[in-house]
Every structure is written in C-alpha cells, then in structure tokens.
Amino acid sequence: MLMLLLASAVFLTACGGKEDTQAPVETEDGTDEPVEQAESTRDQVLIFARGGDSVSLDYASVTDGESSRVTKQIYETLIEFDQDSFEIGPGLATDWSFSDDGLTFTFQLREGVKFHDGTDFNAEAVKLNFERWADPEHPFNFAAEGYTYSVYGTQFGGFKGDEGHAIEEINVLGDYEIEFVLNQPLGSFMQNMGMSYFAITSPAAFEEHGSRINENPVGTGPFKFVSWQKDDSIILEKNENYWKEGYPKLDRVIFQVIPDNSARLTALRSGQIDLMDGLNPDDIATIEGDAELQLFERATNNIGYLGFNVEKEPFDDPLVRQAINHAIDKESLIFALYNGRAEPAKNAVPPGYLGYNDEIEAYDFNPETAKSLLAEAGYPDGFEFDLWTMPVARPYMPDPERAAEALQADLAKIGVKANIVTMEWATYLEKTQQGEQDMFMLGWSGVNGDPDYFLSNLLSSHAIPGGNRSFYRNEEVTSLLDQAKTTVEPSERETLYKQAQALIHADAPMVPLVHSVPVLAGASYVNNYVPHPSTSEVLTYVELAD
C-alpha cells in the first residue's frame, strides 16, 4: 500500500533566488519551519502585487490561481505538501492509516485548533465540508446560486449518486478521528487530500453567511480575512491564535491588483510593494542587476495552451485543429516572450509526470502543411474567428497580449484571420466555461503532483462544465482516464495515460504551447519566501528583515 501513497506523486522542486533564504527544518509533529532568525524591527506588512483579482474566496468552486493564492493563507487541508514539492506531510491531520485493500483511510486530526470565528475544528467539520461538495442536495452546496465543484467531481470520480463516485461514506469515529471509505481504489487519494480545493471551512460560517461564504472566508490558516475591494485589494491579518506557535511572522498581507507587468515592476523598484508575479522575462536582467531586489523561480509544472471550442464550426473538424497546430511557431514564441525560460509543449501534461508520452511526435511548424489541411477541410481561403485572450499575466503566459499578437501573425500566414478579444478576468473564466468562445488562450498548473489533475480536468468529458473549456468529448479518452484514476499500480497508470495522450494528440482539441518556468521578483528584505510548484504557497514563515 506504500505504492498507493507514492504512485502519483512527482516531487517537483522550486528554487528561490536569494542565497540567505533559510531552508525549513522538520519539527516533532512533522511540519516544516525555517531556521529561526533575529527579530526584525521592520513593519511586518507584506504587499503582494498581481495582475488580476481573485474570482472567489470559496476555493472549491473555482479553478483560478489568483483565488487559491489568497485562500491558501486562510484555509488548511488535512494533508500539507512540503514547501517546495508535492511530498505529503501532516496538516490538520497529524497521522493517518489505511486498510490493506486501499479502501479505508483513517485520519487522526490535530486537537486544539480553532477556526477564525473561535469555533472548534473537529471531525464533524471535515465531514460537513466533504459532504457539501459531494451532494448537490446538501444545504451548503449552493448549487441554486451557481456554485459548482468540478474539481471535486473530477478528482473523486463524480458526485453523490454517480456511478464513479469513489467516496462511499465518511464516518466520524471521534472528535478528532475520521474515516473515509472508498468503493474502489483511487490512486491519487492522498495527493488529493493536500489540494487547496479540499481545505476546511468553519461550519458556523456556512450557517452565518450562506452562499456569501465566497466573500466571507473562515478557515484555520495563518491569516484571517479582513476585506476585499474588488479589482483592487484583498487584506488579510495575522491569526493571533494560530496553532503553529510563533507564526505567522507577518502582521498583515495585502494582495494588490496592478494589471500591467511593467507597472508592477516599477512599484517594486520604488518600494511600494514587496513581492510581484507576472514578471516579464525581458526584465529578469534588471532584477538580477539590482542588489535591492531578488528573483524567484518556480519549477516547471504547467501547460500554456491555445484551446478550440470543438462544438463550434470550423473547430469541430479535427483537420482544422491539426492545421492550426502546424501553423504555430512555438520556438519563436518562446524566444520572444519567455527569454528561454520555457520549452515547447506537445502534451497537456508536463514532462516528468507519471505517464508522460514522450513517444508522441509533435506537430511541426509547417505553414504549407497547415494550408493543405485547411484546403482538405474545405477552407482553401481560410476563415475568420475571434481569438479570446487572457487579460492578466499567468505563470504559463507572462504577457498574454503579446502572445496573442504572435499567434495572430502566425495564423495570418495560412489565411486565417484572428480577431483578438479580451475582457475582465472573472468574466473571461465564466464565459469560457459556458462555451461562448471560438478559440481561447489559457493554461493549467499542477496542484498535487499527479497527472490526473491535468488530463482529467482539461480533457475528460466529466469536466464539462469546468476545466474542459474545449468541450472535448472522446469517451475512449474519458474511459482511459477513469481507469487510470482507479488504478494503484504505477506501471498500469503509466500505460493508460500514454494511450490517452496518443488519442488526444490525434484529435487535437488544443494547441499545447509551452511548459514555462514562472519567475517572480521581490525586495531583498523578503525572507523565507519559497515559491511552490502549485503556484500557491503559504506565507506562514515569510518575514521582512531589517
């Protein structure tokens, strides 16, 4: 059963750019803490600037990284990943065990933990949260208010009553002991338990706020919610009663929206902010040459892609989709926009993951082949369409506007006219999930180290509506992904994922563009900031030095 815990894990490591950043040490309860430093006299208020706002602070109902970046500070999961990898360790659960058949998991919960509203964290709270996501009839599911939990459905094989739903029952064995009983093995179960989507909200907060929980988050994490001014800032304050004694070090965290990459860098250099993401790769040399600043890199753990709505003409024709795959010059895109910190993609899952199919032959950049395929599909003179473009920088695409212009130019060479369309970030995500787009730019970052998170969320028919914004339905692919999800043996999972990727490649529901190395920048006095491969890291140990 050790294989059940390790089969799907990819222990990705991110690297920070400051030499004196302290590595964490393991404490008696298995959690990581950095080496203690001298007390700082600097005001402990961290301003983190980003390109776009959060969509919701109800973590389980959204999939965007800007939301999880904030909710990661407020909420906690039973299992926590290491600071720089997807290796699992204690979180709100201190210990766990599982049956020989891999169908029963028992968690010992941390005692003495309080939610931010002063109520007790316990097994009943865990049970309520999981049942809320699983059951559309649950009073706190809020389906009538438009809440959906697509990632729960994808990761656990559906919802209550669905044939594939893996969780048979959840039993409270005591105030601080809970049991999950599965009806079939789930290879990624333990990795799922560390995903930020499955953190624990205060039951009392559901009673008080109802469906407005998305604007009134109450968890057990190191920081408490204070306020949210939409499209401007989210303010969090220190949880004085946090269960990790002496933490967090920061008194306040402000997530500030500054849409333009260059404007964020100007704010950093002038001391108005302390950390920023969405750094233009062209500006890396500026950061490295400034002693007052430092550079951070995340591990390559993403896919930036160009997606087709396969339910709309002409993108319902695989010949058209294959043609556009041949029309995109990925190497030039990487040279112009990523400063070499990316590699061309051919699959929806990054290299290094279990089951990555390296035997697939990538669509080569060949405009003549693209034109020939278009003619075969009945479009010898090309066509015109709307190319939906993200309004904010993302880890997998630091400058979406310039990327859209490059893609537009490539397509023009084969007679296809792309009209660039953009809109506010939350609206963009909502409308692409509803299928209003022709073709769109987006991406995905891994959050649990398992290939299922990429392939099932992006390309399984179960993820419609949800992460599958291409509306790609290939039941053979979905069946293979379902089999891989419920298989424990790594070699069997590997075979299934490779088969699925071969079918996906032939169908071409997307143009896999790049796997990037996201870069961030910060002031030199920011200590103990460790970028996580998932793109969302806790700021528990961060301190602003003198």
Side-chain angles (χ1 to χ4, degrees), residues 323-342:
I324 292 177
N325 268 273
H326 281 294
I328 303 304
D329 186 354
K330 299 176 189 178
E331 293 286 359
S332 293
L333 186 72
I334 290 170
F335 178 80
L337 272 71
Y338 292 86
N339 197 23
R341 281 177 162 80

Side-chain angles (χ1 to χ4, degrees), residues 255-269:
F255 290 96
Q256 184 73 48
V257 176
I258 303 177
D260 182 71
N261 290 7
S262 297
R264 282 198 300 283
L265 180 57
T266 298
L268 178 65
R269 299 187 72 184

Side-chain angles (χ1 to χ4, degrees), residues 447-513:
V447 300
N448 69 347
D450 191 88
D452 181 68
Y453 181 72
F454 281 89
L455 295 170
S456 289
N457 278 289
L458 294 178
L459 295 160
S460 168
S461 60
H462 297 318
I464 303 172
N468 185 348
R469 287 170 162 84
S470 298
F471 292 83
Y472 170 65
R473 292 178 171 89
N474 181 321
E475 292 312 313
E476 186 177 358
V477 168
T478 297
S479 177
L480 287 167
L481 296 178
D482 287 348
Q483 291 176 61
K485 186 193 303 288
T486 58
T487 299
V488 175
E489 174 56 46
S491 61
E492 295 178 18
R493 296 189 81 203
E494 179 179 21
T495 298
L496 293 166
Y497 285 129
K498 285 185 175 181
Q499 291 173 358
Q501 286 167 82
L503 293 172
I504 292 164
H505 180 74
D507 288 341
M510 61 169 60
V511 181
L513 294 172

Side-chain angles (χ1 to χ4, degrees), residues 43 88 91-92 135 170 214 234 248 250 282 364 411 445 533:
D43 288 343
I88 62 174
L92 289 176
D135 184 3
I170 303 174
N214 65 322
I234 293 176
L250 297 170
D282 292 346
D364 64 324
L411 294 172
S445 297

